[in-house]
Amino acid sequence: MQTAALNINKPTRTRFQILGLIFLSVVINYMDRTNISVAAAALTDDLQLTSIQMGLIFSAFGWTYSVCQIPGGIVVDFVKARILYPVILVLWSAATLIQGLVSSFGALVGLRMAIGVFEAPSYPCNNKIVTNWFPENERASAIAIYTSGQFIGLAFLMPVLVVIQDAFGWRGLFIVSGLVGFVWAAIWYVFYRDPEDHKGANQAELDHIAQDEVKIVEQVKEQKTEQKEVSEKNESKLTKENLKIVFSNQKLWGIYIGQFCLGGTLIFFLTWFPTYLVEYRGLDFIKSGFLASIPFIAAFCGVLISGFFSDFLVRKGVSKEVSRKAPMIIGMMLSMFIIGANYTDDTTLIITFLSIAFFGNGLSSIAWIFVSLLAPKQLIGLVGGCMNAIGSLAGVIVPVVIGFLVTDGDFRPALFFIASLAGIGFCSYLFLVGKIERVTLPSDKAAVQGG
């Protein structure tokens, strides 16, 4: 009887099952973003596309994905996750499947844009689900786990996608990927529920999830008080003075430029990387799939090390210049190792240089921490939006630039370009960001002087 009572009072762990659903959704999400990179070589030959056209196809996803982030977030606030996720899954999976049925450059660009539109609400939805299912002191770990799906998921999926294409062709690859999304949409609808509606979550788990609601209410009250005080000094966040700070401050431009450069390396691996291995390095298609997974595993390790080690240093009292800035600078520096692949024909060394570069990209993944460290407190959202917008441009610009650079079949200029971006990011954090200290508004300076 006593044991039964203890079991009743012990929180169930249904929230971790929900986290598993999100993780697999992220894996499918990135599978449908990147299967075009696996299909690229065969698709280019079959449809007689130029490298410039392929670059435009790669970048088309980013055109709509970045523009639809804010509308997607609004939709997430109004539609329940149990309904919204299956709907967007079916829509982007349908666009993925149809790619296997078309034969024109224009149709492929349009379908990639459609996938960008329908995937835009996915990450805001993931964040909302974690907020609903996890208490505040477990959310950071939950977010780290599901976001790791973009690297570790692709590391294991890349060989699978290659085998599927080898068996069914590039058209079959898109069709199979789309069908997987349809199946997963049904599974999500059957198994996902909000906490209060889930039969698997007992009252103890619901209480555990809601343990910090009182604290949140108190924090909201404090924030409203702070906002009232701020509004007395600043009638609007979008004043001319505030916008001037956001778009002219050296430190803030340091993180904006750094985010764009960080995205450049990531986009190369999500788009042109398999083509580089097959077309330029002449690797066997099946073998290239397995080798392509290695840099993704390296990036996954970099992501974990950057977050946990940086937080560890903070807890030990190490300065922000070291604990926060060092991973960024070291990561950008390591990303420049991609250029080493230009000076060897040894496959092992090529993959080693590329893995070091992608590991460095993962190590630099804590870039968002600098928004909270540098931005004026009342402008954190605005600064974060600017950083995300400028960073997203990498997904639009970099694939097209690479397409122009490899027109004659030589990928060396493209790797120089990616290494140069990493070098610019390195210099940006080293010299433009400089000392880690919060940017102050003119009104704040005036208040200090007046006081």
Side-chain angles (χ1 to χ4, degrees):
M1 291 292 291
Q2 200 170 24
T3 303
L6 286 172
N7 288 334
I8 293 174
N9 293 325
K10 185 178 180 180
T12 49
R13 298 173 67 83
T14 305
R15 62 193 183 280
F16 295 105
Q17 297 173 16
I18 298 299
L19 184 59
L21 289 177
I22 301 174
F23 176 88
L24 290 174
S25 298
V26 169
V27 172
I28 292 171
N29 182 301
Y30 268 80
M31 175 185 70
D32 290 335
R33 291 189 199 191
T34 58
N35 52 18
I36 188 75
S37 68
V38 174
L43 188 152
T44 300
D45 291 338
D46 193 17
L47 302 184
Q48 296 297 299
L49 300 174
T50 67
S51 63
I52 295 173
Q53 288 177 312
M54 204 63 232
L56 288 169
I57 291 171
F58 282 146
S59 72
F61 172 88
W63 303 347
T64 50
Y65 185 76
S66 56
V67 170
C68 292
Q69 284 300 297
I70 293 175
I74 293 172
V75 170
V76 168
D77 287 334
F78 285 95
V79 183
K80 284 193 171 186
R82 189 187 178 212
I83 303 299
L84 178 60
Y85 229 128
V87 169
I88 61 175
L89 263 164
V90 166
L91 290 172
W92 92 56
S93 297
T96 298
L97 186 150
I98 295 171
Q99 287 177 121
L101 305 176
V102 300
S103 299
S104 72
F105 165 73
L108 286 170
V109 168
L111 289 166
R112 294 299 296 172
M113 292 174 67
I115 294 171
V117 171
F118 300 135
E119 285 197 6
S122 59
Y123 262 72
C125 193
N126 294 339
N127 189 60
K128 183 179 180 181
I129 294 167
V130 166
T131 301
N132 289 340
W133 269 98
F134 287 82
E136 194 277 333
N137 61 357
E138 292 180 359
R139 283 177 201 155
S141 299
I143 291 171
I145 289 170
Y146 82 67
T147 53
S148 70
Q150 63 185 304
F151 293 120
I152 198 67
L154 287 178
F156 290 105
L157 269 182
M158 196 66 76
V160 175
L161 295 177
V162 167
V163 170
I164 291 173
Q165 179 169 314
D166 187 62
F168 303 107
W170 66 267
R171 294 185 183 278
L173 173 63
F174 289 131
I175 292 170
V176 171
S177 297
L179 291 175
V180 169
F182 291 146
V183 172
W184 187 250
I187 291 173
W188 179 277
Y189 183 78
V190 170
F191 289 99
Y192 180 81
R193 298 290 188 282
D194 289 331
E196 61 274 12
D197 300 324
H198 205 296
K199 294 180 181 179
N202 64 7
Q203 188 58 47
E205 183 171 22
L206 296 178
D207 292 340
H208 175 75
I209 294 169
Q211 64 181 272
D212 55 348
E213 283 187 358
V214 175
K215 294 179 183 178
I216 291 173
V217 171
E218 292 175 353
Q219 289 172 0
V220 169
K221 289 180 179 178
E222 291 176 3
Q223 288 173 0
K224 287 182 177 179
T225 303
E226 290 177 1
Q227 289 171 358
K228 185 178 179 182
E229 292 173 354
V230 168
S231 65
E232 292 174 357
K233 298 186 295 180
N234 249 329
E235 291 185 2
S236 172
K237 291 183 178 181
L238 296 178
T239 61
K240 184 178 179 181
E241 292 78 10
N242 288 354
L243 288 173
K244 184 178 179 181
I245 286 289
V246 169
F247 288 106
S248 66
N249 183 268
Q250 174 184 307
K251 290 182 181 294
L252 298 183
W253 268 107
I255 63 174
Y256 300 160
I257 294 170
Q259 189 69 4
F260 179 88
C261 295
L262 187 67
T265 303
L266 175 62
I267 290 300
F268 167 76
F269 280 96
L270 294 183
T271 56
W272 283 103
F273 177 44
T275 301
Y276 167 75
L277 294 180
V278 174
E279 293 292 313
Y280 182 63
R281 288 301 179 178
L283 296 181
D284 174 79
F285 186 65
I286 297 293
K287 184 179 180 181
S288 71
F290 289 93
L291 292 176
S293 68
I294 298 173
F296 283 94
I297 295 173
F300 170 73
C301 294
V303 169
L304 294 184
I305 290 173
S306 67
F308 286 106
F309 188 62
S310 180
D311 283 346
F312 170 78
L313 292 178
V314 169
R315 289 193 297 270
K316 291 296 182 180
V318 177
S319 70
K320 292 173 183 176
E321 265 68 27
V322 175
S323 61
R324 298 306 193 193
K325 199 172 174 184
M328 285 299 307
I329 293 175
I330 294 171
M332 290 289 192
M333 183 175 64
L334 290 175
S335 291
M336 287 188 280
F337 272 67
I338 197 170
I339 206 170
N342 280 345
Y343 299 99
T344 180
D345 291 321
D346 183 89
T347 301
T348 301
L349 285 176
I350 290 168
I351 297 299
T352 298
F353 283 124
L354 294 170
S355 297
I356 291 172
F358 212 12
F359 172 82
N361 187 262
L363 200 63
S364 302
S365 64
I366 62 168
W368 276 92
I369 195 69
F370 291 93
V371 175
S372 59
L373 292 175
L374 298 178
K377 287 185 178 180
Q378 56 267 51
L379 297 179
I380 285 177
L382 182 58
V383 171
C386 291
M387 177 173 161
N388 195 38
I390 293 171
S392 296
L393 288 176
V396 177
I397 296 171
V398 171
V400 178
V401 172
I402 293 177
F404 276 96
L405 291 174
V406 302
T407 302
D408 61 355
D410 186 356
F411 260 88
R412 285 178 297 180
L415 295 193
F416 274 116
F417 171 61
I418 298 300
S420 298
L421 285 179
I424 292 170
F426 172 84
C427 293
S428 181
Y429 269 93
L430 191 62
F431 300 114
L432 292 181
V433 173
K435 185 178 180 181
I436 305 299
E437 55 186 9
R438 191 175 301 281
V439 174
T440 55
L441 296 173
S443 56
D444 294 331
K445 293 178 181 177
V448 171
Q449 292 171 355

